[in-house]
């Protein structure tokens, strides 16, 4: 008699697995969005998620896709590629989404792209930046944002026209993002005839960067290029200030260096630091400034290029779904590939260049922290303030 | 040469902070033979307490020390009393249940904090966070210097406590042989609770002093737990002086290794030293002295 | 006492499962659970039966995974060769680990294994030219359907459990338990503890390495933080075995399924049926589970089954001869 309970339990358990998969489909178009909403990349994931949500509200209020509501099913990849993979598979097999969006970390994005390609589900990458993601000749994978190889492009012209450095040092965090960008910058230096005196990786999350910074101080390069996320960036600048490391300029490779928290945490050590960036709210793209203002007003927090990527992606997704007649994944892919529109992030059209395909091609920019605010300084014609160069470190660090 | 000296100084200073964290661990491991995998998380809780006090009451971290340490002491006593001591009575195939219990406790602590404070990075900016003083061309970081000083102070205090006071001697007795201590009338249960509490308080000190020069997030504990192990084994389980020495050796080895070999492998150096010590000098540096 | 029929029924259910349930999502959960049966059972052999509590089983999993991965990146051959090579390569590491660590006892042994796993993780992270570092190794799965992977995992799990069962029934089994119970006494009786601990470790590392190679082939992506992870691999292995019941053949299999299912249950908020915050609480639930299990069910579900069963049936349970009270 006791054994009977065992079977009842097992049966109930089996039912609880089977029933949910029989839930009737709803009459909205489902799109899966994978972002890191917990873990160390949570801050960016949150900004992107809120941007996606804000855009979706506007899109659905304006009629969705030909009258049908669009639904974003968010999954948290926790900043780990294996979780990202599983999340993608769940969205595809269980939620039956017609396309995927999001993809923050490069490793995670890569993993998701693999799944998307294999399952023939179109995937619009909004942030993952490793060039490799669009170099695989995967026809189901498209990318809105600039690849990491393009990050230093604005910096390149700035260096060759204004600074003309002889030597450079590269510091990068030992992740996909950091390593790939460091390689790209090495190429840039080769092109500009800049001697790279030092290129070193480090584990993120460290307490003490002095071993690296002391070496840099000794090598005394003209330019120090750093690729880090937020907290490492703050510590690096703080400790550079402590050790009095004074190259001609410090340049960050985006990510941590463009967040407002960087200035908060690094304080005066953030002054005059440059950074590459992919977008800025004063750029002459329709809706860019409005997006920024709307976001700040509604969520009471700052947004930057990651948020813009999310917001623009949402609109590209909506536009694609609007142009798709039958909602099969092949048709969605077809429509996505034919995208040709303007967004707050810039124009979106998928082309092939260098070794990449299905890649949107956009310029990149240079920003600088001036008096505690992030200003666009290069190219000159889009600048909000003239750059501060040469830098008087005594003054900057007072 | 100058670079070497600067790096030596940096290594010694960070070693001081490490030593504080290791101090608590060596006490716990020495007395109870438990690998406290929640050690980093205890430190993390103290850091959040310090942060909250700074955020809401504008209390300077050095004063917050006086609040964080007792709080963690209490937390430690509670953990030992309700979660760890009961395990001693259970007979099971794997004697290492206590370690796993600390894993569970660590996770619960982390998630509770995450629930309250979210996953964002937080930091405490004080006027002296980046303050340095120069001796010649060598820069000395002030907060780390203070932490180092406090580490020495606390170690000395702990040292005398263990050597000269009755309670301290009871702790050492319980560490040597619990049953014998009980026979001699020592309330071993209370001693284990006291020890865990003290260990937690030390971890709290380490965390509070670290906060001005680092930053805070719920998962910050893990890496420090590992460092604490290395220091404990390096210095010798249960040896307070060993913890200081272990901390210094680790700090210097990491920093010099990062400078001259590879920054990328910085954390690996500690682990390698750890294994080497376990294999060749299992008693730790303590065996080199008589303390 | 598990009746033979229950075991046969369970196996039949497992074999038929992918054919009954069409959703790839649920198949994936079971595949991962089966993989953990292998890892948990392997750990159990070394720790539950032989008493060597390893905190570094990620060493073998990671080595196996990277063997398979490196086949594609450096040798240009299919990752499936990793299934052949992963086990032996992991055994080599096992032997090395044993030579370094077996002289240590208790906590020291635990920590040493933990440290070695961490060293490997950090080396894999920085030796970019060999392991691709944090960029990880990505491969394209050979099969689009999950069914072949399912049966492969099932076969692996079956082979592993059966092998361990056979070993424990043999002379080796007695030696292992003797070493666990009292290493010095065993030595005094002429059992070379080093030799038998090594045998146990070799088998344990072999299967764990295989599981790692399987993971590479199945998931198609690995990086050092994933496969050499302290919490998600090493400690998970320990929990799987303990939750199910250490030192028992069916402990790890039961533990594996429960752990994997529970984790996914929480992460997906009971497959979407519970409110969203449940998903965020999954890590907390995990921690609480650990505490509860260790505190009240230290012998695992299989080990304490009479006690648990007794709660339900509200019968007086005759306490076993070795239980605490």
């Amino acid at each position: 008699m006791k054994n009977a309970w065992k079977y009842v339990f097992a049966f109930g358990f089996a039912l609880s697995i089977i029933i949910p998969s029989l839930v009737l489909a709803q009459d909205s178009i489902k799109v899966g969005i994978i972002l890191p909403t917990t873990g160390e990349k949570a801050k960016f994931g949150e900004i992107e998620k809120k941007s996606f949500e804000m855009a979706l509200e506007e899109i659905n209020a304006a009629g969705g896709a030909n009258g049908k509501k669009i639904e974003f099913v968010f999954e948290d990849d926790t900043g780990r590629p294996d979780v990202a993979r599983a999340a993608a598979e769940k969205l595809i097999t269980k939620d039956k989404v017609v396309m995927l969006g999001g993809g923050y970390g490069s490793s995670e994005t890569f993993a998701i792209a693999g799944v998307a390609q294999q399952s023939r589900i179109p995937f619009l990458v909004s942030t993952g930046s490793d060039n490799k993601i669009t170099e695989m000749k995967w026809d189901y994978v498209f990318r809105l944002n600039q690849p990491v190889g393009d990050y230093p492009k604005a910096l390149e012209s700035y260096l060759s026209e204004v600074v003309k450095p002889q030597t450079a040092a590269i510091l990068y965090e030992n992740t996909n993002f950091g390593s790939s960008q460091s390689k790209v910058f090495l190429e840039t230096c080769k092109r500009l005839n800049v001697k790279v005196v030092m290129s070193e990786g480090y584990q993120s999350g460290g307490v003490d960067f002095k071993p690296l910074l002391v070496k840099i101080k000794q090598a005394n390069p003209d330019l120090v290029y750093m690729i880090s996320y937020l907290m490492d960036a703050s510590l690096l600048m703080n400790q550079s200030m402590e050790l009095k490391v004074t190259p001609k300029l410090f340049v960050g490779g985006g990510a941590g260096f463009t967040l407002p928290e960087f200035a908060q945490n690094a304080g005066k050590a953030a002054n005059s630091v440059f950074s590459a960036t992919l977008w800025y709210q004063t750029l002459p793209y329709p809706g860019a400034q409005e997006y920024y203002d709307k976001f700040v007003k509604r969520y009471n927090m700052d947004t930057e290029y990651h948020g813009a990527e999310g917001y623009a992606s949402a609109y590209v997704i909506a536009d694609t779904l609007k142009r798709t007649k039958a909602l099969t994944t092949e048709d969605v892919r077809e429509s996505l590939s034919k995208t040709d529109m303007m967004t707050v992030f810039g124009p979106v059209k998928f082309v092939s260049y260098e070794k990449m395909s299905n890649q949107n091609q956009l310029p990149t920019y240079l920003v600088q922290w001036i008096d505690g605010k992030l200003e666009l300084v290069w190219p000159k014609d889009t600048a909000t303030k003239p750059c501060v160069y040469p830098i008087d470190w005594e003054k900057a660090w007072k | 040469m100058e670079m070497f000296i600067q790096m030596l100084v940096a290594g010694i200073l960070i070693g001081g902070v490490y030593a504080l964290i290791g101090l608590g661990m060596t006490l716990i491991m020495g007395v109870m033979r438990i690998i406290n995998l929640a050690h980093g998380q205890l430190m993390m809780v103290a850091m959040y307490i310090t942060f909250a006090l700074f955020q809401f009451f504008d209390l300077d971290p050095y004063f917050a020390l006086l609040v964080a340490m007792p709080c963690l002491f209490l937390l430690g006593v509670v953990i030992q009393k309700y979660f760890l001591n009961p395990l001693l009575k259970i007979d099971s195939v794997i004697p290492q249940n206590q370690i796993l219990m600390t894993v569970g406790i660590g996770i619960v602590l982390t998630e509770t904090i995450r629930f309250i404070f979210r996953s964002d990075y937080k930091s405490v900016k004080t006027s002296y966070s980046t303050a340095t003083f120069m001796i010649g061309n060598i820069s000395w970081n002030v907060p780390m210097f203070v932490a180092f000083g406090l580490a020495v102070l606390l170690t000395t205090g702990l040292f005398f406590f263990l050597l000269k006071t009755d309670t301290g001697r009871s702790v050492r007795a319980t560490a040597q042989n619990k049953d014998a201590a009980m026979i001699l009338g020592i309330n071993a249960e209370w001693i284990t609770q006291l020890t865990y509490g003290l260990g937690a308080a030390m971890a709290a000190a380490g965390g509070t002093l670290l906060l001005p020069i680092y930053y805070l997030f719920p998962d910050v504990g893990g890496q420090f737990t590992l460092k604490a192990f290395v220091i404990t084994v390096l210095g010798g389980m249960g040896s307070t002086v060993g913890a200081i020495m272990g901390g210094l050796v680790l700090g210097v080895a990491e920093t010099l290794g990062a400078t001259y070999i590879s920054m990328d492998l910085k954390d690996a150096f500690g682990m390698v030293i750890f294994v080497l010590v376990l294999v060749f000098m299992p008693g730790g540096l303590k065996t080199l002295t008589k303390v | 006492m598990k009746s033979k029929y229950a075991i046969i029924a369970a196996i039949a259910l497992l074999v038929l499962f992918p054919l009954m349930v069409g959703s790839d999502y649920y198949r994936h959960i079971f595949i991962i659970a089966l993989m953990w049966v292998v890892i948990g059972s392997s750990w159990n052999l070394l720790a539950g039966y032989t008493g060597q509590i390893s905190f570094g089983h990620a060493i073998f999993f990671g080595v196996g995974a990277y063997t398979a991965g490196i086949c594609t990146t450096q040798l240009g051959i299919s990752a499936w060769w990793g299934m052949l090579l992963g086990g032996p390569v992991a055994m080599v590491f096992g032997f090395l680990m044993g030579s370094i660590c077996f002289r240590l006892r208790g906590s020291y042994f635990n920590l040493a294994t933990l440290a070695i796993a961490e060293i490997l993780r950090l080396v894999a992270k920085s030796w970019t030219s060999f392991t691709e570092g944090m960029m990880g190794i990505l491969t394209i799965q050979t099969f689009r359907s999950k069914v072949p992977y399912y049966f492969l995992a099932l076969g692996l799990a079956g082979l592993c459990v059966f092998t361990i069962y056979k070993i424990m029934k043999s002379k080796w089994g007695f030696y292992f338990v003797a070493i666990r119970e009292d290493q010095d006494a065993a030595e005094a009786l002429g059992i070379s503890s080093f030799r038998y601990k090594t045998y146990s470790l070799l088998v344990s590392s072999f299967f764990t390495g295989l599981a790692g190679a399987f993971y590479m082939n199945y998931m198609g992506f690995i990086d050092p933080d994933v496969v050499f992870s302290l919490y998600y691999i090493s400690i998970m292995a320990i929990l799987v075995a303990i939750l199910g019941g250490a030192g028992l053949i069916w402990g790890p299999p039961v533990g594996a399924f429960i752990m994997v299912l529970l984790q996914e249950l929480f992460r997906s908020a009971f497959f979407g049926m519970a409110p969203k915050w449940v998903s965020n609480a999954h890590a907390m639930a995990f921690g609480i589970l650990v505490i509860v299990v260790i505190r009240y069910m230290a012998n695992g579900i299989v080990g304490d089954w009479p006690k648990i069963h007794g709660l339900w049936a509200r019968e007086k349970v005759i306490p076993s001869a070795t239980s605490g009270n």
Side-chain angles (χ1 to χ4, degrees):
Chain A
M1 208 39 225
K2 292 161 247 163
N3 285 325
W5 283 114
K6 239 198 307 202
Y7 298 128
V8 171
F9 186 53
F11 184 63
F13 186 63
L15 267 186
S16 74
I17 290 184
I18 297 174
I19 287 189
S21 52
L22 298 175
V23 169
L24 302 159
Q26 284 159 302
D27 198 25
S28 61
I29 311 175
K30 287 194 184 164
V31 175
I33 310 284
I34 304 176
L35 291 167
T37 45
T38 59
E40 36 173 44
K41 299 172 188 158
K43 184 86 210 189
F44 297 102
E46 202 190 331
I47 294 179
E48 285 209 28
K49 182 164 183 224
K50 290 184 151 71
S51 302
F52 268 104
E53 286 172 338
M54 198 164 87
L56 186 64
E57 274 178 25
E58 296 167 6
I59 292 167
N60 278 334
N66 304 326
K68 268 197 174 166
K69 269 193 162 2
I70 302 177
E71 187 189 329
F72 283 158
V73 183
F74 289 98
E75 280 287 322
D76 177 14
D77 68 14
T78 72
R80 292 176 51 210
D82 50 329
V83 180
R85 245 197 89 94
E89 294 195 341
K90 169 185 175 284
L91 287 168
I92 295 173
T93 58
K94 199 160 164 295
D95 300 287
K96 307 248 188 303
V97 297
V98 298
M99 68 185 284
L100 289 171
Y104 179 80
S106 287
S107 300
E108 295 84 272
T109 307
F110 207 18
I112 299 170
V115 173
Q117 178 64 20
Q118 263 224 315
S119 316
R120 306 264 186 284
I121 300 274
F123 175 34
L124 176 65
V125 176
S126 49
T127 310
S129 59
D130 191 346
N131 284 46
K132 241 192 324 180
I133 296 170
T134 44
E135 282 176 356
M136 308 290 294
K137 308 235 187 305
W138 283 339
D139 53 342
Y140 275 82
V141 177
F142 298 80
R143 179 155 54 186
L144 173 101
N145 55 299
Q146 298 88 327
V148 79
D150 290 356
Y151 275 40
K153 285 223 165 94
L155 178 64
E156 199 174 331
S157 64
Y158 183 71
L159 290 179
S160 61
E161 285 177 47
V162 180
V163 180
K164 306 200 213 317
Q166 308 276 40
T167 53
I170 308 177
L171 287 182
Y172 58 95
E173 67 159 23
N174 191 358
T175 61
N176 195 324
F177 180 62
S179 321
S180 47
Q181 230 200 101
S182 74
K183 285 205 192 102
V184 167
F185 192 64
L186 256 148
E187 295 290 312
T188 308
C189 287
K190 252 196 237 154
R191 274 199 298 272
L192 293 173
N193 258 328
V194 175
K195 181 159 171 271
V196 177
V197 297
M198 198 178 128
S199 173
E200 267 208 57
Y202 60 85
Q203 303 286 358
S204 67
V207 181
D208 195 20
F209 290 98
K210 304 231 177 69
L212 284 180
L213 296 170
V214 163
K215 277 202 275 202
I216 289 189
K217 187 169 177 180
Q218 259 209 345
N220 202 15
D222 291 333
L223 161 71
V224 176
Y225 191 72
M226 299 173 289
I227 307 149
S228 325
Y229 278 105
L230 179 65
M231 298 322 278
D232 291 340
S234 313
L235 281 179
L236 275 168
M237 285 319 301
N238 268 328
Q239 290 175 10
S240 296
M241 191 172 75
E242 271 180 50
L243 290 174
K244 301 213 192 318
V245 180
T246 50
K248 291 213 179 117
L249 71 162
F250 281 105
V251 184
F257 289 91
T258 54
L259 280 180
E261 280 84 355
F262 171 64
Q264 281 167 22
N265 287 315
K268 46 187 187 191
N271 254 337
S272 308
V273 173
F274 287 86
S275 176
T277 191
L278 305 184
W279 177 88
Y280 197 69
Q281 56 268 23
T282 59
L283 286 173
Y285 298 132
Q289 186 68 51
E290 287 90 342
Y291 158 69
Y292 181 81
D293 296 331
K294 261 188 296 194
F295 190 96
V296 173
K297 185 154 167 236
R298 174 158 165 181
Y299 294 114
N300 205 14
M301 60 167 82
D302 255 303
T303 179
E304 31 70 273
Y305 69 86
H306 297 102
E309 285 166 348
Y311 191 78
S313 291
Y315 273 94
V316 172
I317 291 173
D319 174 77
T320 302
L321 291 173
K322 275 192 215 152
R323 285 182 286 112
T324 313
K325 294 285 185 344
L327 285 171
T328 63
T329 56
E330 289 83 9
D331 286 347
V332 174
R333 192 211 81 81
E334 224 5 76
S335 306
L336 184 57
S337 68
K338 298 207 175 85
T339 303
D340 189 355
M341 62 184 284
M342 177 59 83
T343 65
V344 305
F345 193 68
V348 179
K349 187 167 174 184
F350 300 111
V351 298
S352 302
Y353 65 99
E354 290 167 26
K355 281 192 254 165
M356 300 177 285
S357 54
N358 294 339
Q359 174 68 54
N360 188 24
Q361 191 169 23
L362 287 173
T364 56
Y365 308 89
L366 200 61
V367 285
Q368 188 181 25
W369 287 96
I370 302 177
D371 294 328
K373 260 193 78 190
L374 195 62
E375 306 281 352
L376 189 60
V377 296
W378 193 266
K380 267 217 203 117
D381 50 349
T382 51
T384 51
K385 256 212 183 144
C387 64
V388 175
Y389 184 81
I391 302 172
D392 177 355
W393 290 111
E394 285 269 346
K395 198 160 141 234
W397 285 343
K398 212 140 48 91
Chain B
M1 189 55 195
E2 187 182 286
M3 181 161 93
F4 177 74
I5 298 183
Q6 173 75 75
M7 292 333 304
L8 201 60
V9 167
I12 292 176
L13 288 181
I14 193 92
V17 179
Y18 285 164
L20 269 178
I21 303 171
L23 211 53
M25 172 78 87
T26 200
L27 210 54
I28 295 175
M29 274 191 87
V31 172
M32 276 137 10
R33 305 275 185 278
I34 306 177
I35 299 177
N36 182 21
L37 278 170
H39 204 72
Q41 277 77 22
L42 292 170
M43 184 183 109
M44 179 265 298
V45 171
M47 285 167 90
Y48 270 98
I49 293 178
T50 311
F51 170 76
L53 289 171
F54 182 80
Q55 183 92 313
F56 297 115
F57 299 109
D58 260 333
L59 191 63
D60 186 87
Y62 289 130
F63 289 117
L65 202 60
L66 300 169
V67 177
M69 282 180 77
C71 282
L72 263 296
F73 177 78
L74 278 163
L75 181 63
V77 170
V78 166
I79 291 177
Q80 179 68 32
K81 179 162 176 162
Y82 293 107
F83 294 95
L84 292 168
N85 270 340
L87 291 181
L88 296 172
K89 305 198 190 97
I90 300 177
D91 186 34
S92 84
V93 175
I94 309 268
Q96 263 83 351
N97 277 335
Q98 291 184 314
I99 306 174
L100 290 157
M101 177 62 87
T102 62
V103 170
I105 292 173
I107 297 179
V108 172
L109 286 174
T110 308
E111 295 306 312
T112 312
I113 292 287
R114 199 197 299 280
F115 182 70
I116 304 176
F117 290 96
R118 314 289 310 285
S119 292
D120 308 2
Y121 291 112
K122 308 239 188 271
S123 63
V124 157
K125 272 215 102 43
T126 59
S127 55
Y128 50 82
S129 278
T130 48
T132 55
F133 61 87
M134 309 288 279
I135 296 187
N137 253 342
I138 309 291
S139 144
W140 295 66
N141 178 288
V142 170
M144 283 215 246
F145 190 69
V146 174
F148 184 80
L150 258 141
V152 174
L153 223 74
L154 281 168
T155 308
T156 322
L158 207 57
F159 181 70
F160 280 111
F161 168 74
L162 288 173
L163 222 55
K164 302 284 181 183
T165 66
D166 269 342
T167 325
R169 288 207 205 100
S170 308
V171 172
R172 281 165 54 219
T174 316
Q176 279 190 356
N177 190 327
K178 190 144 159 233
D179 294 322
M182 275 171 40
I183 293 176
L184 288 171
I186 294 175
N187 183 351
E189 253 199 55
W190 161 238
I191 292 291
T192 52
Q193 289 161 21
L194 174 78
T195 312
Y196 199 90
L198 269 177
M202 294 292 130
T208 307
L209 292 170
L210 185 65
L211 193 52
I213 54 170
Y214 195 46
Y215 47 91
L216 185 55
F217 55 103
D219 303 296
V220 76
Q223 52 171 317
F224 291 106
T225 308
L226 289 177
K227 302 236 194 275
F229 288 151
V230 178
I231 296 171
T232 302
V233 168
L234 193 49
M237 275 209 257
S239 163
T240 50
V241 176
I244 286 268
M245 292 205 292
L248 287 176
V249 170
L250 181 64
V252 171
E254 270 191 358
T255 313
L256 289 178
T259 314
Y260 293 108
I261 305 180
S262 158
M263 177 81 182
D264 221 359
L265 287 170
K266 186 155 89 110
D267 295 325
F269 292 128
M271 293 285 123
V272 171
I273 292 179
F274 183 69
V275 177
L276 288 175
V277 168
L278 277 182
V279 174
F280 295 113
M281 203 164 54
L285 291 169
K286 171 170 83 166
T287 55
L288 295 177
T289 69
K290 290 281 185 37
V291 187
Chain C
M1 241 193 332
K2 276 260 181 193
S3 90
K4 275 222 155 52
Y5 299 119
I7 297 175
I8 294 178
I11 294 181
L13 214 69
L14 282 175
V15 171
L16 294 174
F17 180 77
L19 310 169
M20 292 192 305
V21 178
S23 159
D24 263 355
Y25 174 57
Y26 295 111
R27 287 175 182 165
H28 169 75
I29 296 179
F30 269 59
I31 293 175
I32 297 292
L34 286 168
M35 188 183 82
W36 278 103
V37 169
V38 176
I39 305 174
S41 301
S42 309
W43 184 87
N44 193 30
L45 179 65
L46 181 66
Y49 285 115
T50 322
Q52 308 303 304
I53 319 286
S54 148
F55 268 75
H57 250 58
I59 296 172
F60 313 119
F61 186 77
V63 163
Y66 267 98
T67 307
I70 288 174
C71 281
T72 57
T73 57
Q74 304 279 338
L75 301 174
I77 56 181
S78 156
W80 288 108
W81 286 99
M83 294 291 291
L84 229 60
L85 297 169
V89 175
M91 288 209 313
V92 170
F93 276 82
F95 184 73
L96 286 172
M97 179 178 115
S99 337
I100 301 176
C101 302
F102 278 148
R103 70 193 72 197
L104 305 166
R105 307 274 201 110
S107 317
Y108 289 122
F109 178 75
N110 308 140
L111 289 178
T113 56
L114 194 156
I116 295 180
E118 275 296 293
I119 293 174
L120 280 178
R121 185 179 68 87
L122 292 167
V123 166
K125 247 180 145 163
S126 34
W127 199 2
T128 318
S129 52
F130 188 54
T131 63
E132 307 299 311
M134 278 312 285
M135 292 186 280
I137 300 183
L138 187 99
T139 61
I140 306 293
Q141 282 97 335
T142 322
F143 307 110
R144 263 202 72 188
S145 158
K146 290 217 188 298
V147 179
Y149 290 107
Y150 181 90
F151 284 113
L152 182 56
L154 184 60
L156 220 59
L159 180 66
C160 179
V161 173
F162 184 70
T163 308
I164 293 180
Y165 174 71
K166 275 298 192 198
I167 290 180
M168 289 317 294
K169 278 225 127 110
S170 77
K171 220 168 26 160
W172 278 14
F174 281 114
Y175 293 157
F176 292 165
V177 177
I179 292 174
R180 173 187 83 198
E181 291 300 315
D182 192 330
Q183 184 168 322
D184 298 316
E187 281 274 358
L189 287 173
I191 301 173
S192 160
S193 66
F194 181 74
R195 179 183 324 167
Y196 287 100
K197 284 197 283 195
T198 306
Y199 289 157
S200 176
L201 180 50
L202 287 176
V203 176
S204 176
S205 54
F206 177 78
F207 280 110
T208 311
L210 266 185
F214 171 77
Y215 184 83
M216 173 82 252
N217 277 291
Y218 173 60
M219 290 298 271
F221 182 86
I222 62 170
D223 74 18
D225 279 348
V226 170
V227 299
F228 282 111
S229 164
L230 170 60
Y231 275 90
Y232 295 108
I233 306 284
S234 293
I235 292 193
M236 175 84 168
I238 301 176
L239 289 170
V240 160
I242 292 201
L243 175 57
L248 299 167
I249 194 78
W250 292 111
V254 169
F257 271 88
I258 295 188
M259 284 288 282
V260 173
L261 281 167
L262 265 174
Q263 280 206 291
E264 189 54 31
L265 215 57
F266 271 95
R267 207 191 66 80
S268 64
F270 289 81
F271 304 123
M273 294 190 290
K276 232 5 188 357
W277 61 261
V278 175
S279 170
N280 290 334
H282 77 269
M284 170 82 98
F286 184 69
I288 296 180
L289 177 73
V290 170
I291 294 179
V292 167
V293 168
I294 298 293
R295 177 72 180 80
Y296 297 108
M297 288 199 301
N299 286 314
I301 289 189
V302 176
D304 278 337
W305 180 249
K307 196 160 72 143
I308 301 171
H309 199 212
L311 278 173
W312 237 343
R314 251 177 284 179
E315 263 185 19
K316 258 286 176 217
V317 176
I318 304 167
S320 81
T322 54
S323 75
N325 273 326

